[in-house]
Amino acid sequence: PRQIVNQNKIFYRYCCPNLKGQIACGCRITVTRMAVREKLDSLRTRFTGCSIVAFADLSTGLVFAASTREKTDQERLDALCHEARDVLCGPVAKTMAETGFPSRQEPMHAVSFGAGRLSLFVRALSQPQEALCFVCDPNTSVTEMIGPGADLLTQLGREA
């Protein structure tokens, strides 16, 4: 998709024969940036150890929106998105799928550990190219975050 920013709305233009150079057609997706950010804020604050929740497109490596406890630069968000792509649908995911652990499919969620943090990546069931990326304290309960993360992705997909 091609991103077009117009005030507080983001329009995604897909290759569609109905477009013919227009922004609008039957397959236009309109998302209010503030509404998405508010939902990400709400999810992040539910989990005290969570410092970042980012809504990302794995196919393009772009972060659509993010909620952060502290100021976070775009490079950090981009790196988080690339890590999500590696573990959910990139080289790490493909290696896991080839070994058959736990199945021969790419994972719907994954966890990685770093220095003093853990990252959780949750992929959308209906739109597998979309994911939420969480950065949390190492003692955060990941299992409690997967369900609400998947629910938010489903909700964002329905609103698009």
Side-chain angles (χ1 to χ4, degrees), residues 15-71:
C15 297
C16 171
N18 299 330
L19 279 175
K20 297 181 182 150
Q22 306 161 356
I23 292 177
C25 82
C27 63
R28 181 187 72 192
I29 298 174
T30 306
V31 179
T32 303
R33 187 183 296 227
M34 284 305 291
V36 173
R37 188 164 294 132
E38 288 170 0
K39 290 174 183 177
L40 295 173
D41 284 340
S42 176
L43 182 61
R44 183 183 53 78
T45 57
R46 269 177 79 177
F47 305 101
T48 56
C50 188
S51 59
I52 298 174
V53 177
F55 178 42
D57 182 338
L58 301 175
S59 64
T60 61
L62 295 174
V63 172
F64 292 139
S67 168
T68 62
R69 187 170 40 201
E70 300 170 353
K71 185 166 174 66

Side-chain angles (χ1 to χ4, degrees), residues 92-126:
V92 174
K94 297 204 184 326
T95 300
M96 294 293 287
E98 289 169 2
T99 63
F101 176 80
S103 69
R104 294 205 173 271
Q105 298 176 344
E106 293 177 346
M108 295 309 292
H109 57 271
V111 178
S112 71
F113 295 90
R117 67 147 177 96
L118 70 81
S119 298
L120 167 66
F121 307 103
V122 180
R123 178 187 262 189
L125 289 172
S126 59

Side-chain angles (χ1 to χ4, degrees), residues 78-94:
D78 290 343
L80 188 62
C81 184
H82 292 291
E83 184 179 1
R85 187 167 46 184
D86 286 346
V87 298
L88 292 174
C89 57
V92 174
K94 297 204 184 326

